[in-house]
């Protein structure tokens, strides 16, 4: 089969599009014929050796796919060949086929097309887990989302709205803010035009935000950390600007708020039952039209490098997808 293979930690140009052996279904696993693979910011970090996980070479990146089961391993009874599924593979998704643990494969409702299904999981499931289990977001609370037109930011805007929050979107361009507005944001801040710390103070009437979904890091994190409400929850999601901020803990003490780490990949392994319940709720919301996936562009698998450049280059609104 064809796959995108990483032979060394380097820029995405160094990824190879080459023939590799077809995967076999191990015990407790299934093989999925990939119809679409989601492209995520962490994939770009992973191939450059900048992610917390450093797989041995050679490896195939790609953590989420939609497709059809072609082979079922020993001991798997709830999945069958021919089923359409969403699969969370952690690695191996940028390929024509991937072998996935059966515990991380979910039947795909007919209403969800392959490209949207492949883009639905990581971004939306992270936002869902973060706002539900980590922030315990309540109706009527204010939710600030940074990088709000990116993959997981846009998901947080939709899910925050769905949970009844007043959503404040923070983006770098008017075009991105318009996408956030169309997806449910109530208040828009362009942080390339306005000082974010001042703008957040103004739009929250000096009270600060109840919850912040912080994807960007660096100065953006610092501005948010100075605008938290009493009992607020500052969610650490990611560092898309490349800078991991250092945090003066006296701010949390004085303002009485919590800084809460979110690592969705680990959540799926530590709390599989809650993960399964979350996915059921998320897929139901999708089918009911309460959340949606914005696919910016679907590119052929051979153009994985272009897709990663677009994601890492701050050019995507919603999600990129690869189609083998
Ligand atoms: N904790 C978890 O479990 C988890 C799960 C998924 C993703 N993440 C992390 O969350 C972050 C966002 O992921 P994503 O998939 O939503 O990425 P994305 O689609 O690329 O969106 C990231 C957003 O960050 C903003 N940004 C600011 N400075 C940037 C820079 N120098 N380069 C690129 N983007 C920049 C951009 O918005 P503006 O142009 O509007 O500023 C961009 O839209 C990443 O750090 C990712 O690793 C964490």
């Amino acid at each position: 089969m064809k796959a995108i293979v990483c032979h060394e930690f380097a820029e995405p140009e160094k990824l190879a599009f080459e023939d590799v052996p077809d995967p076999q279904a191990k015990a407790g696993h299934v093989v999925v014929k990939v119809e679409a693979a989601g492209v995520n910011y962490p994939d770009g970090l992973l191939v450059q050796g900048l992610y917390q996980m450093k797989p041995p070479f050679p490896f195939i990146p790609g953590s989420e796919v939609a497709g059809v089961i072609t082979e079922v391993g020993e001991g798997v009874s709830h999945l069958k060949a021919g089923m359409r599924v969403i699969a969370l593979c952690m690695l191996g998704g940028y390929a024509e086929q991937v072998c996935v643990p059966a515990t991380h494969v979910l039947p795909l409702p007919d209403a969800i097309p392959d490209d949207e299904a492949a883009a639905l999981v990581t971004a939306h499931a992270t936002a869902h887990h973060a706002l539900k289990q980590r922030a315990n977001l309540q109706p009527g609370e204010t939710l600030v989302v940074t990088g709000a037109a990116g993959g997981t930011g846009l998901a947080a805007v939709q899910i925050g709205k769905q949970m009844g929050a007043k959503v404040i979107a923070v983006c770098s361009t008017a075009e991105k803010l318009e996408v956030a507005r169309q997806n449910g944001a109530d208040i828009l801040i362009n942080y390339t035009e306005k000082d974010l710390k001042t703008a957040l103070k103004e739009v929250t009437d000096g009270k600060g935000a109840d919850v912040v979904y912080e994807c960007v890091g660096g100065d953006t994190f610092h501005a948010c950390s100075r605008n938290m409400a009493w009992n607020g929850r500052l969610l650490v999601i990611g560092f898309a600007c490349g800078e991991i901020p250092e945090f003066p803990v006296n701010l949390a003490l004085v303002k009485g708020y919590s800084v809460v780490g979110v690592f969705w990949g680990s959540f799926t392994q530590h709390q599989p039952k809650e993960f399964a319940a979350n996915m059921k709720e998320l897929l139901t919301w999708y089918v009911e039209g309460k959340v949606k996936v914005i696919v910016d562009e679907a590119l052929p698998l051979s153009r994985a490098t272009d897709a990663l450049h677009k994601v890492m280059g701050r050019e995507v609104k919603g999600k990129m997808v690869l189609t083998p």
Side-chain angles (χ1 to χ4, degrees):
M1 69 165 181
K2 289 282 187 202
I4 296 291
V5 183
C6 183
H7 292 279
E8 59 180 313
F9 289 133
E11 294 292 307
E13 284 76 16
K14 296 274 176 147
L15 290 168
F17 180 56
E18 62 189 31
D19 288 308
V20 299
D22 288 356
Q24 308 294 319
K26 295 182 274 187
H29 290 60
V30 297
V31 172
V32 176
K33 176 177 175 290
V34 177
E35 300 293 349
V39 178
N40 290 292
Y41 191 93
D43 302 343
L45 297 176
L46 184 79
V47 301
Q48 295 180 75
L50 301 174
Y51 196 57
Q52 50 258 44
M53 176 173 75
K54 294 194 173 43
F57 301 116
F59 69 86
I60 300 170
S63 61
E64 58 180 336
V65 302
V68 177
I69 295 179
T70 54
E71 204 188 329
V72 177
E74 203 186 313
V76 178
S77 53
H78 67 294
L79 298 169
K80 305 241 169 311
M83 279 174 89
R84 285 184 76 228
V85 290
I86 289 179
L88 296 172
C89 41
M90 301 298 163
L91 285 175
Y94 291 9
E96 289 177 332
Q97 298 175 57
V98 59
C99 180
V100 191
T103 48
H104 283 60
V105 175
L106 305 158
L108 182 53
D110 288 341
I112 310 185
D114 292 322
D115 58 347
E116 295 189 15
L120 175 64
V121 185
T122 305
H124 277 79
T126 299
H128 185 203
H129 163 55
L131 297 178
K132 185 172 180 169
Q133 279 93 12
R134 304 301 283 155
N136 191 20
L137 180 68
Q138 296 299 310
E141 287 194 314
T142 48
L143 167 67
V144 172
V145 181
T146 62
T152 201
L154 201 55
V157 169
Q158 293 175 4
I159 292 170
K161 196 70 193 163
Q162 169 63 22
M163 292 172 79
K166 180 174 169 188
V167 180
I168 301 165
V170 178
C171 293
S172 63
T173 67
E175 215 186 350
K176 287 185 174 183
L177 284 169
E178 175 55 20
V179 172
R181 191 191 63 75
Q182 287 166 4
N183 281 268
D186 301 290
I187 295 174
L188 310 176
I189 298 174
N190 184 330
Y191 66 159
T192 58
E193 289 178 352
K194 283 187 185 164
D195 172 59
L196 182 57
K197 188 175 152 201
T198 312
L200 286 174
K201 195 169 182 184
E202 275 169 21
V203 299
T204 59
D205 297 327
K207 294 190 200 104
D210 296 308
V211 175
V212 174
Y213 191 84
E214 214 297 278
C215 305
V216 173
D219 290 343
T220 305
F221 178 93
H222 291 304
C224 295
S225 73
R226 283 167 170 75
N227 275 291
M228 296 302 301
W230 186 253
N231 283 327
R233 287 84 77 207
L234 173 49
L235 298 170
V236 182
I237 306 297
F239 317 106
C241 81
E243 189 191 326
I244 298 177
E246 291 194 5
F247 174 67
V249 290
N250 61 313
L251 284 178
L253 182 155
V254 172
K255 291 174 180 273
Y257 70 84
S258 309
V259 179
V260 185
V262 177
F263 190 0
W264 176 74
S266 279
F267 162 71
T268 67
Q269 287 166 358
H270 285 284
Q271 294 171 252
K273 283 195 183 135
E274 286 88 346
F275 158 57
N278 274 16
M279 285 310 302
K280 199 170 164 196
E281 183 169 59
L282 191 55
L283 291 174
T284 305
W285 282 351
Y286 180 96
V287 171
E288 291 172 356
K290 292 174 177 164
V291 299
K292 56 190 170 188
V293 175
I294 307 296
V295 176
D296 186 302
E297 197 177 3
L299 292 177
L301 180 61
S302 56
R303 292 188 57 197
T305 299
D306 295 336
L308 285 171
H309 274 307
K310 199 165 162 179
V311 170
M312 306 301 281
R314 217 170 169 172
E315 292 169 37
V316 179
K317 290 182 276 308
K319 293 274 299 189
M320 292 295 292
V321 167
L322 295 172
T323 49

